[in-house]
Amino acid sequence: MMSRGRAFDAVLTDLDGVIRFYEMAELEQLERSVGLPSGSTAEIAFRPETDMPLMRGEITKERWIASIADGLADRVPWARGRELGTTLAETKFRADDVVVGLLRQVRAAGLPVLLVTNATPWLADDLALLGLTGPDGCLDDVISSADLGITKPDRRIYETAAERAGVAPARCLFVDDRQENVDAAVALGMSGLLYREPADLRAGLAPLV
């Protein structure tokens, strides 16, 4: 139900770069050991032609790792590239406790919190490891690109999120660390928040928390 006392009635949030952060030290050490600059594996892994088929649920983790090895094959032996890809795929991660706490406060105020993310097919396992789902989690629903077969900034993923939240797009606050994704949400009439640090989210949620 819409409240006239606030600017939005649902919070839609990205995962990586907002809630989840990766511990890259092991991968960076392995890259150095084979003479690659830090970030070389991720550069290949997250190119659209490598990454987007995974985000749309079209390929498996093993196929993604193999495509990373293919992309590194001109710099390291294929088997070494596969090792680098596997290390990236299995990189440890953590949730930002401050952000999770703020999202819990949103739910306590009676507003739904939905995850809207370009995600891998194994997202549900990752969310369980982070403690974000289940009775003690901070999410009411999860909108995953791998389930829908479409990725942000496609307007359909935002429309699906608003529908699942049960509110009009104009009553949604959308939080993301990528400008193009925020812009797409704003184009649909949502309130947009470009995330850089927890203080950004705290300010955006000030009327609530």
Side-chain angles (χ1 to χ4, degrees), residues 62-194:
E62 283 303 316
R63 179 59 251 171
W64 181 54
I65 291 170
S67 66
I68 295 170
D70 292 341
L72 291 170
D74 61 338
R75 286 178 275 176
V76 296
W78 195 90
R80 184 64 76 179
R82 187 179 186 281
E83 181 183 4
L84 288 160
T86 300
T87 301
L88 175 63
E90 297 177 353
T91 296
K92 294 180 174 60
F93 47 77
R94 61 175 178 81
D96 186 306
D97 291 338
V98 175
V99 172
V100 171
L102 289 168
L103 296 177
R104 290 186 191 279
Q105 291 182 58
V106 173
R107 293 188 77 199
L111 275 68
V113 175
L114 285 77
L115 193 70
V116 185
T117 179
N118 289 348
T120 63
W122 57 93
L123 174 65
D125 294 337
D126 289 355
L127 295 180
L129 285 172
L130 288 166
L132 300 180
T133 52
D136 299 322
C138 64
L139 303 174
D140 292 286
D141 204 349
V142 175
I143 313 300
S144 167
S145 64
D147 292 337
L148 296 179
I150 51 177
T151 59
K152 295 179 294 185
D154 190 308
R155 63 178 291 145
R156 292 173 294 172
I157 200 167
Y158 302 91
E159 291 168 341
T160 299
E163 181 180 355
R164 298 254 289 262
V167 302
R171 301 299 300 173
C172 294
L173 173 68
F174 179 80
V175 183
D176 202 293
D177 66 325
R178 297 181 67 89
Q179 185 69 58
E180 63 268 31
N181 294 338
V182 174
D183 290 345
V186 171
L188 281 178
M190 295 181 178
S191 299
L193 193 161
L194 181 64

Side-chain angles (χ1 to χ4, degrees), residues 40-52:
S40 298
T41 307
E43 180 186 356
I44 296 295
F46 299 124
R47 287 177 178 172
E49 61 269 27
T50 309
D51 188 36
M52 285 298 103

